[in-house]
C-alpha cells in the first residue's frame, strides 16, 4: 500500500514569509496527488491537485505545488503567507484508477501577524 | 450544489454499544469513502464504496463496516465500541474527472466520543 510522509509537523512563520511544505510518497505506479487544507473548525478543502501534464500546479489562494517524479515528491509552496493561512495542511496520494486515498500526518501552519 | 452531508455531527456513546453514521454524497457522485481522523493517527482510510460495492478497504478490524445504497448514500457502522474509537469520522464523495482520475470532496464529519 502507498504511504505519504510530510516532513514538518508544525511550522511557524511570520506574515509575508515564504512557505514550503514537504511531501514524499511511496508507490510504484501512477498516482494522483493532492494537497488539502483544514482551517480551524472547518472541513477539509482541496487546495490543489495533480493528475498529469505540467508538474507545476497552481491552486487556490496563491498556493502552488511541484511534482518531481524522480524524487516521489509533491511539495507545497506559497511566496508570501498571510495570517489567514493558519491551518493544517495534508498531502494525499491516490493511485491512478483506484480510489484509495492515503494522507500524510499533516503539517500545522501557524502564521504570526 | 449541496456538499457532502454527514449526520449526526456529534455523538456520544458508551463502550460496547454500536453506532451508525450516515453520509449523503454530492449529487452525481457514485463513490463514497470513509476516514477516521484522530490526533495521534491522523487521517486513516477505512473503506470506499462504489455502486453499492466495497471496492477498497483500509486496515481496520471487522467491527468497522459500511454499506452504500442505490442512491449512493452511505452508512458506516461500528460495533462493540471501544474508547479508542473516539474520533472524527469523515466521509468523502468522489467524482471521476477523467479516466482513472478522482477528486474527493469532504463532509464536516461526525465527532464520535466513546465514554
Amino acid at each position: 500500500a502507498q504511504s505519504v510522509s510530510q516532513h514538518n509537523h508544525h511550522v511557524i512563520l511570520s506574515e509575508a514569509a515564504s512557505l514550503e511544505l514537504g511531501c514524499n510518497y511511496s508507490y510504484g505506479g501512477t498516482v494522483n496527488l493532492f494537497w488539502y487544507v483544514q482551517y480551524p473548525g472547518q472541513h477539509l478543502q482541496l487546495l490543489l491537485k495533480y493528475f498529469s501534464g505540467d508538474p507545476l500546479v497552481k491552486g487556490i489562494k496563491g498556493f502552488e505545488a511541484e511534482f518531481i517524479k524522480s524524487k516521489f515528491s509533491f511539495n507545497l509552496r506559497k511566496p508570501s503567507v498571510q495570517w489567514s493561512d493558519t491551518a493544517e495542511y495534508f498531502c494525499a496520494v491516490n493511485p491512478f484508477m483506484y480510489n484509495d486515498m492515503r494522507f500524510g500526518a499533516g503539517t500545522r501552519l501557524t502564521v504570526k501577524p | 450544489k449541496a456538499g457532502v452531508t454527514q449526520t449526526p455531527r456529534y455523538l456520544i456513546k458508551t463502550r460496547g454499544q454500536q453506532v451508525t453514521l450516515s453520509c449523503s454524497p454530492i449529487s452525481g457522485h457514485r463513490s463514497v469513502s470513509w476516514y477516521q481522523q484522530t490526533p495521534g493517527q491522523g487521517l486513516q482510510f477505512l473503506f470506499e464504496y462504489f455502486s453499492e460495492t466495497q471496492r477498497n478497504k483500509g486496515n481496520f478490524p471487522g467491527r468497522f463496516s459500511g454499506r452504500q445504497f442505490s442512491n449512493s448514500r452511505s452508512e458506516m457502522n461500528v460495533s462493540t465500541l471501544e474508547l479508542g474509537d473516539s474520533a472524527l469520522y469523515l466521509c468523502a464523495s468522489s467524482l471521476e474527472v477523467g479516466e482513472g482520475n478522482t477528486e474527493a470532496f469532504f463532509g464536516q464529519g461526525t465527532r464520535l466520543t466513546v465514554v
Side-chain angles (χ1 to χ4, degrees):
Chain A
Q2 67 274 25
S3 66
V4 184
S5 173
Q6 290 185 239
H7 307 160
N8 311 97
H9 291 301
H10 189 191
V11 172
I12 303 172
L13 296 172
S14 297
E15 273 194 316
S18 64
L19 169 72
E20 180 157 3
L21 302 182
C23 173
N24 285 90
Y25 67 93
S26 66
Y27 185 72
T30 303
V31 294
N32 295 331
L33 298 158
F34 306 84
W35 276 96
Y36 281 86
V37 61
Q38 191 171 33
Y39 297 104
Q42 296 190 26
H43 64 284
L44 278 166
Q45 301 172 42
L46 182 67
L47 261 184
L48 45 78
K49 59 185 182 271
Y50 174 78
F51 290 154
S52 62
D54 188 344
L56 185 62
V57 292
K58 296 192 184 298
I60 60 172
K61 304 186 181 186
F63 286 90
E64 65 179 32
E66 184 175 14
F67 170 50
I68 303 179
K69 190 175 181 180
S70 61
K71 295 184 177 180
F72 296 89
S73 70
F74 190 55
N75 293 351
L76 180 71
R77 298 194 291 249
K78 186 170 184 179
S80 175
V81 294
Q82 301 173 316
W83 176 79
S84 58
D85 293 325
T86 295
E88 190 147 18
Y89 293 80
F90 295 91
C91 180
V93 173
N94 205 8
F96 184 73
M97 294 296 290
Y98 288 91
N99 199 6
D100 181 8
M101 190 180 294
R102 304 301 170 114
F103 286 81
T107 297
R108 186 155 60 101
L109 172 66
T110 301
V111 180
K112 294 181 176 179
Chain B
K1 195 175 190 182
V4 178
T5 304
Q6 292 188 245
T7 55
R9 290 291 310 279
Y10 302 93
L11 209 46
I12 300 175
K13 289 286 188 178
T14 305
R15 265 186 309 175
Q17 286 187 313
Q18 75 165 20
V19 67
T20 299
L21 312 181
S22 180
C23 173
S24 293
I26 292 171
S27 177
H29 290 193
R30 292 192 293 162
S31 169
V32 173
S33 300
W34 289 89
Y35 295 83
Q36 181 195 66
Q37 186 176 21
T38 59
Q41 300 296 320
L43 276 153
Q44 295 190 87
F45 174 76
L46 280 155
F47 29 65
E48 185 245 356
Y49 286 86
F50 182 86
S51 293
E52 302 177 67
T53 301
Q54 188 182 89
R55 283 200 303 193
N56 297 290
K57 190 177 190 308
N59 191 26
F60 276 80
R63 299 186 297 107
F64 292 81
S65 63
R67 59 178 176 168
Q68 187 181 33
F69 302 95
S70 58
N71 61 358
S72 293
R73 191 177 70 83
S74 177
E75 289 180 348
M76 69 162 279
N77 185 75
V78 188
S79 62
T80 321
L81 283 165
E82 300 176 0
L83 294 178
D85 297 332
S86 295
L88 181 66
Y89 289 88
L90 295 171
C91 168
S93 75
S94 296
L95 174 70
E96 289 194 10
V97 292
E99 185 180 344
N101 296 320
T102 59
E103 183 172 330
F105 296 83
F106 284 81
Q108 296 267 28
T110 293
R111 171 76 61 187
L112 172 65
T113 302
V114 182
V115 297

